[in-house]
Amino acid sequence: MSTDIRRVGVVGGGQMGAGIAEVCARAGLDTVVCEADDMAARAARKRVAASLDRAVRRGKLNQEVAEDALGHLVFTSGLERLADRQLVIEAIIENPEAKNELFAALDKIVTAPSAILASNTSAIPIMSLGMATGRADRVVGLHFFNPVPVLPLVEVVTSLHTAPDTVATVEAFVTTTLGKTVIHAQDRAGFVVNALLIPYLLAAVRMAESGLATASDIDTGMELGCAHPMGPLKLADLIGLDTVASIAVSLYDEFKEPLYAPPPLLQRMVAAGLLGRKTGRGFHVYDGAR
């Protein structure tokens, strides 16, 4: 029987983690956000507060609801604060070693045997994360999409060990509590959306790299010629070029298909710290770029 989840933990307060924490808090859930240190925890709080303020200014949210959401949030640098959580969602860097280490730690800290450990990973196998714990049946992928408060989709990803009750619980949580739509994906790198999206983004990078078209023309072509709301290189900048490269590596490692391999230009941009919107410059230049 599925459990009604009211106490949620989010590990990682970056772009994705802050968005996940915001939608949980807006749903009235007791939400704890855990970051690496106190400075990062304060930055995560500012990130959520700024997002709520934008929603109020745009008429998407009233001030009272925004203030109530902030009241449901606690920001901390101590994983031990997650001990009583019914669901903990990991949203840290896309690094297999870091995620496995975190899941092993959470397995010892989160005390309730029925508690679920979930990952927002874009491509890393859920089986690997589950096997880092003693509760692989309670480990699942919950892949949200950026920006989390706006996009209505969540991929639920199960490993060979994930229990049916775990799936039922998180599906009810996503659909009924958060009001989002679920699609189910097998535990393969990229799941459903990124397995289709990333080769498309990489094709656009290769087109720009070869000089066949400028980044601006590539994006305009797909926006006006195919009615896409955002061109592929703008979308890559929004996702973060480091994240795009990381997902591409995971896909290539699993399938060994050349179309999944990150192009040299993408790798050089990541090495140069030109990661897209979050750094002010990627394939395009944004406000605040140095």
Side-chain angles (χ1 to χ4, degrees):
M1 181 180 294
S2 62
T3 304
D4 183 23
I5 293 172
R6 305 306 302 173
R7 299 188 307 279
V8 178
V10 179
V11 184
Q15 192 173 46
M16 292 301 297
I20 295 167
E22 179 182 335
V23 297
C24 290
R26 284 169 65 167
L29 303 176
D30 171 2
T31 306
V32 175
V33 182
C34 187
E35 258 290 6
D37 53 45
D38 291 341
M39 182 179 295
R42 288 192 295 270
R45 189 186 191 284
K46 289 179 180 177
R47 196 170 287 118
V48 175
S51 176
L52 290 169
D53 286 344
R54 282 194 300 273
V56 170
R57 289 197 307 272
R58 293 170 181 172
K60 305 293 185 182
L61 201 64
N62 67 51
Q63 186 65 44
E64 184 179 348
V65 173
E67 291 174 359
D68 183 65
L70 273 179
H72 282 91
L73 286 160
V74 172
F75 296 84
T76 180
S77 58
L79 283 176
E80 64 277 359
R81 183 63 178 78
L82 304 174
D84 68 340
R85 301 293 93 180
Q86 297 168 287
L87 169 67
V88 177
I89 304 171
E90 167 274 314
I92 66 170
I93 187 172
E94 280 289 286
N95 177 284
E97 291 75 20
K99 287 185 187 290
N100 283 331
E101 183 179 338
L102 174 61
F103 270 76
L106 291 173
D107 186 42
K108 295 179 176 66
I109 291 166
V110 182
T111 55
S114 62
I116 295 170
L117 305 180
S119 177
N120 184 58
T121 180
S122 301
I124 293 170
I126 301 304
M127 177 62 77
S128 171
L129 302 178
M131 295 306 288
T133 75
R135 58 177 100 185
D137 62 320
R138 307 298 290 173
V139 175
V140 67
L142 284 181
H143 182 217
F144 293 77
F145 292 82
N146 185 42
V148 179
V150 176
L151 295 186
L153 183 69
V154 178
E155 288 178 313
V156 172
V157 187
T158 55
S159 79
L160 294 173
H161 281 308
T162 306
D165 181 57
T166 301
V167 178
T169 299
V170 296
E171 182 167 2
F173 169 75
V174 171
T175 57
T176 303
T177 305
L178 300 186
K180 293 186 178 289
T181 299
V182 162
I183 62 172
H184 293 272
Q186 292 189 8
D187 189 17
R188 300 290 185 272
F191 314 136
V192 174
V193 174
N194 280 323
L196 295 169
L197 175 64
I198 295 300
Y200 163 62
L201 300 185
L202 298 181
V205 174
R206 293 188 184 100
M207 181 174 283
E209 182 177 51
S210 69
L212 285 174
T214 66
S216 178
D217 284 346
I218 291 168
D219 284 336
T220 300
M222 295 308 295
E223 290 165 10
L224 301 185
C226 294
H228 287 200
M230 182 180 294
L233 298 177
K234 287 180 185 175
L235 180 55
D237 279 352
L238 177 63
I239 294 168
L241 300 188
D242 52 339
T243 301
V244 172
S246 176
I247 299 169
V249 168
S250 294
L251 287 164
Y252 183 73
D253 285 347
E254 179 137 320
F255 300 110
K256 298 299 186 291
E257 293 282 355
L259 77 163
Y260 292 136
L265 175 60
L266 179 62
Q267 295 174 312
R268 298 299 186 276
M269 292 177 74
V270 171
L274 306 177
L275 307 181
R277 282 187 177 272
K278 60 187 172 184
T279 59
R281 181 181 165 196
F283 287 98
H284 301 278
V285 178
Y286 302 91
D287 291 343
R290 291 173 294 181

